[in-house]
Amino acid sequence: MSAHKARKVVDQIHGRSYEETLMILELMPYRACYSIFKLVYSAAANASHNMDFKKGDLIVSKAEVNEGPTVKKLKPRARGRGYPIKRPTCHITIVLKDISSI
């Protein structure tokens, strides 16, 4: 997906708690929500397993989307011509922070 479409979703979850973030992502109608939902869920699982944090005490402290490489293809068109297709990609970064240690 393009970085612009993912940023529209990520801007809504910055600074929110883990449970609130999951509810927001489940209810938003955008296609990017599923990928970001999986990313937040995985980050919380890593925090609870590796650092022994409780999932209820986590907040999204940093959420950013950067542009990735563009996949370029040629689609065949009439009279032997090629039509370029550019599929943008993005890099999503989610950082969770434990509020109980503050």
Side-chain angles (χ1 to χ4, degrees):
M1 77 192 85
S2 70
H4 185 268
K5 292 176 184 177
R7 272 191 206 109
K8 187 167 38 172
V9 176
V10 167
D11 289 342
Q12 300 296 319
I13 65 169
H14 181 73
R16 303 204 186 236
S17 69
Y18 171 68
E19 289 92 7
E20 190 178 0
T21 298
L22 293 184
M23 285 193 303
I24 288 171
L25 291 173
E26 284 180 359
L27 297 174
M28 288 179 83
Y30 304 113
R31 194 183 84 192
C33 290
Y34 181 68
S35 301
I36 296 170
F37 178 86
K38 289 196 317 182
L39 188 63
V40 170
Y41 191 79
S42 174
N46 287 338
S48 77
H49 183 267
N50 297 339
M51 308 291 261
D52 294 327
F53 292 149
K54 292 182 181 176
K55 289 184 180 180
D57 294 337
L58 296 174
I59 62 168
V60 179
S61 65
K62 181 180 175 185
E64 65 180 20
V65 179
N66 296 320
E67 290 185 12
T70 301
V71 178
K72 296 174 183 157
K73 301 182 199 174
L74 283 177
K75 183 175 183 179
R77 297 300 289 228
R79 297 186 177 200
R81 293 189 172 100
Y83 180 74
I85 294 176
K86 296 177 185 173
R87 173 169 279 179
T89 60
C90 63
H91 300 292
I92 304 170
T93 305
I94 302 286
V95 178
L96 298 177
K97 188 175 182 182
D98 187 28
I99 57 171
S100 64
S101 64
I102 296 175

